[in-house]
Amino acid sequence: MSQSRSDSYAAAGVDITAGYKAVELMKKHIARTVADNAANDIGGFGGLFELDMTGITRPVLVSGTDGVGTKLKLAFIMDKHDTVGIDCVAMCVNDIICCGAKPLFFLDYIACGKNVPERIAEIVSGVAEGCVQSGAALIGGETAEMPGFYPEDEYDLAGFSVGVADRSKILDNSKMKEGDVIIALPSSGVHSNGFSLVRKVFDVENADIKTPVAELGGKSVGETLLTPTKIYVKPMLALFDKITVKGVSHITGGGFYENIPRSIPDGLCAKINKSAVRVLPIFDLIAKTGNIPERDMFNTFNMGVGMSVVVAKEDAETALAILHENGEDAYIIGEIMNGSDKIVIE
């Protein structure tokens, strides 16, 4: 690519050579994610992936796409760019796992005002880490330099992932019934949702968010908010392998009230024991600082629960043991009951 340079394009604000340098810098991170299934090197026109259908009778592809949202504003302020890629992967693969599918590969899209190769590579290092955590291969992506559209020091980040499941093993909530147990998988923090409200509450563009705060265990507001979204793929795959899971919800934007009902069939209701929810300190601080009503908190944030899982009552202890063995401090937060409300928190 040494012959590829356009002085006219550079004068318009787009440095082609910076793009090539960014690709070279990110290759070492991408190499961490590549499995034997990845069938090409980064830099081609498409990402190739060879499907291994061993043990799968009727394969169903499951896809997910998402971005990081305005959490990126915190990355700009803190000048820390190596974790938002984890968020981007998490938002996609955590959705895929809710169907009972295993993520296979991931592609990212970075749009920026100015291509600073070192910063792009830092972003991709987080994407690669998210792929390692989820067992997905990073097989491609795109970096678009868009001067005049984005400020020079800002960027947007989105991603796309594909997984696979055997049709017979796709989660079926029609088997859910009264008395089933709802298990919580703890979140790592705010994850990647509700940041428009978070930014308003803490006035992040103007206030000091870098000073340690006692309520947050000595961490700053900025550091705490940038904690990357937890990825639940591996512990959930271990759970699927051992017991029948009747429903899974990824607690994202809309909090408990919007997301838990998505896995509950008509005629049933998720009864959440509010006192059982292990609310993280950051949510107490958000509520206190912004004077936000409790219902709004549960209708916006994950409140310390990143994923909920419904299993039969007789399988609950086994499910907890499996999740604990796989690094999740899972616990029971409620049960399924008959009703038309879909969710009750009390």
Short mmCIF file of all heavy atoms in Angstrom, two decimals, residues 4-11 14 16:
data_model
loop_
_atom_site.label_atom_id
_atom_site.label_comp_id
_atom_site.label_asym_id
_atom_site.label_seq_id
_atom_site.Cartn_x
_atom_site.Cartn_y
_atom_site.Cartn_z
N SER A 4 -0.16 4.05 -2.36
CA SER A 4 -1.48 4.63 -2.23
C SER A 4 -1.44 5.86 -1.34
O SER A 4 -1.34 5.77 -0.12
CB SER A 4 -2.46 3.60 -1.65
OG SER A 4 -3.74 4.15 -1.52
N ARG A 5 -1.50 7.02 -1.97
CA ARG A 5 -1.56 8.27 -1.23
C ARG A 5 -2.20 9.34 -2.11
O ARG A 5 -1.89 9.45 -3.30
CB ARG A 5 -0.17 8.73 -0.80
CG ARG A 5 -0.20 10.13 -0.16
CD ARG A 5 1.10 10.58 0.42
NE ARG A 5 1.02 11.96 0.85
CZ ARG A 5 0.43 12.37 1.98
NH1 ARG A 5 -0.11 11.48 2.77
NH2 ARG A 5 0.39 13.64 2.31
N SER A 6 -3.11 10.10 -1.53
CA SER A 6 -3.77 11.17 -2.28
C SER A 6 -3.59 12.48 -1.53
O SER A 6 -4.16 12.67 -0.46
CB SER A 6 -5.27 10.86 -2.45
OG SER A 6 -5.94 12.00 -2.96
N ASP A 7 -2.78 13.37 -2.10
CA ASP A 7 -2.58 14.68 -1.47
C ASP A 7 -3.88 15.47 -1.44
O ASP A 7 -4.16 16.21 -0.48
CB ASP A 7 -1.51 15.47 -2.21
CG ASP A 7 -0.12 14.84 -2.05
OD1 ASP A 7 0.10 14.17 -1.01
OD2 ASP A 7 0.73 15.02 -2.94
N SER A 8 -4.69 15.32 -2.46
CA SER A 8 -5.96 16.05 -2.52
C SER A 8 -6.91 15.58 -1.43
O SER A 8 -7.58 16.38 -0.77
CB SER A 8 -6.62 15.85 -3.89
OG SER A 8 -5.80 16.38 -4.91
N TYR A 9 -6.98 14.25 -1.22
CA TYR A 9 -7.84 13.68 -0.18
C TYR A 9 -7.34 14.11 1.20
O TYR A 9 -8.12 14.46 2.09
CB TYR A 9 -7.86 12.16 -0.30
CG TYR A 9 -9.15 11.50 0.13
CD1 TYR A 9 -10.24 12.24 0.56
CD2 TYR A 9 -9.27 10.11 0.07
CE1 TYR A 9 -11.42 11.61 0.94
CE2 TYR A 9 -10.44 9.48 0.45
CZ TYR A 9 -11.51 10.23 0.88
OH TYR A 9 -12.67 9.60 1.27
N ALA A 10 -6.01 14.12 1.36
CA ALA A 10 -5.40 14.54 2.63
C ALA A 10 -5.73 16.00 2.92
O ALA A 10 -6.00 16.39 4.06
CB ALA A 10 -3.90 14.33 2.60
N ALA A 11 -5.73 16.83 1.88
CA ALA A 11 -6.07 18.24 2.05
C ALA A 11 -7.52 18.42 2.49
O ALA A 11 -7.87 19.42 3.13
CB ALA A 11 -5.82 19.00 0.75
N VAL A 14 -8.77 13.66 5.01
CA VAL A 14 -8.74 12.20 5.10
C VAL A 14 -7.35 11.69 4.77
O VAL A 14 -6.85 11.88 3.66
CB VAL A 14 -9.77 11.55 4.14
CG1 VAL A 14 -9.68 10.03 4.23
CG2 VAL A 14 -11.17 12.01 4.51
N ILE A 16 -5.31 8.61 4.06
CA ILE A 16 -5.39 7.20 3.70
C ILE A 16 -4.30 6.39 4.39
O ILE A 16 -4.54 5.27 4.89
CB ILE A 16 -5.28 7.02 2.17
CG1 ILE A 16 -6.45 7.71 1.47
CG2 ILE A 16 -5.25 5.55 1.80
CD1 ILE A 16 -6.32 7.74 -0.04
#
